[in-house]
Amino acid sequence: MNVIVFGATGTIGRLAVEQLLAAGHSVTAFARHPERLATDHPALARVAGDALRAADVAAAMPGHDAALVVLGAGAARRSTIRSEGTLTVIRAMQQAGIRRLVVQSTLGARDSWGTLNFWWKRVMFGALLAPVFRDHELQERLVEASGLDWTIVRPGAFTDAPTIRPLIEDVPNSARGLDLKINRADLAAFLARIVGEGAYLRRAVGLSS
């Protein structure tokens, strides 16, 4: 498949690009500074652009079979790049006739709220990261209304270390007592796998240890 990755130079994006290439896909890394992606591979193309600029995204979209959105704002807590950038991607996909869309959101969004513990509900998403959380929820609503062949991936908090307990794929919304963590490499591997699969079509899937 020819896959375009939005947010390709982020911590998850870099790993997802590597996993997609390892799986034999052709990858376009779309980012404001794609030269920051250290990966070098004959099946990798770099496109410089802003996910919030419709013209940039529309120009990059044709010729791809799927899009992976792993947009983030770094330390910025009030950015709306996730929802606004995802909407720009959706419109470009609709225009180009591309249907497969995989979007990274967060565990706890919308109907998965009950999987969170007190700390995440009241402190992190209730206060410190409240704008980020609201942006993820809007992002999900836009994806669901897109009419595309979408999958929303809801990971727990990122860690570079192996998780103490095994990863649970497709966390039930009724689940309690989760570690609410996921290794970044494990998340990237799942994202790369799911892009080419028909599983979890038009639904959200949670990931947590």
Side-chain angles (χ1 to χ4, degrees):
M1 294 178 68
N2 294 323
V3 183
I4 184 167
V5 180
F6 293 90
T9 57
T11 59
I12 303 301
R14 293 170 186 262
L15 294 171
V17 166
E18 292 175 0
Q19 291 281 353
L20 286 163
L21 291 169
H25 299 294
S26 296
V27 179
T28 299
F30 183 101
R32 284 176 294 177
H33 299 284
E35 71 278 2
R36 295 177 180 173
L37 189 65
T39 303
D40 190 18
H41 194 283
L44 174 65
R46 292 174 171 83
V47 173
D50 188 339
L52 300 181
R53 286 179 54 86
D56 290 355
V57 177
M61 190 65 71
H64 294 93
D65 303 303
L68 172 60
V69 176
V70 284
L71 292 169
R77 294 181 177 177
R78 296 191 176 276
S79 171
T80 55
I81 190 171
R82 296 168 182 84
S83 60
E84 293 183 21
T86 299
L87 180 58
T88 304
V89 170
I90 287 169
R91 288 173 172 167
M93 292 180 69
Q94 292 169 336
Q95 181 180 352
I98 299 164
R99 298 202 53 79
R100 185 61 173 137
L101 172 65
V102 176
V103 175
Q104 176 204 305
S105 179
T106 184
L107 192 63
R110 306 181 71 202
D111 57 354
S112 65
W113 177 253
T115 62
L116 301 182
N117 57 28
F118 179 87
W119 173 259
W120 278 97
K121 286 180 177 177
R122 304 305 175 204
V123 179
M124 297 302 287
F125 289 153
L128 297 177
L129 299 177
V132 173
F133 185 73
R134 289 194 296 269
D135 196 41
H136 271 306
E137 295 214 308
L138 175 55
Q139 178 188 41
E140 289 200 6
R141 288 193 291 270
L142 293 169
V143 171
E144 291 182 5
S146 69
L148 301 173
D149 296 333
W150 55 267
T151 299
I152 294 169
V153 180
R154 294 170 172 166
F158 305 150
T159 176
D160 288 322
T163 53
I164 296 174
R165 294 192 290 181
L167 177 67
I168 302 171
E169 181 176 315
D170 198 13
V171 174
N173 291 333
S174 59
R176 301 295 184 271
L178 299 170
D179 292 339
L180 301 174
K181 293 182 179 180
I182 183 170
N183 176 269
R184 285 182 171 88
D186 289 342
L187 171 57
F190 180 82
L191 290 168
R193 190 190 95 206
I194 206 68
V195 165
E197 292 185 354
Y200 307 120
L201 192 62
R202 295 187 179 174
R203 55 165 297 200
V205 52
L207 300 173
S208 175
S209 57

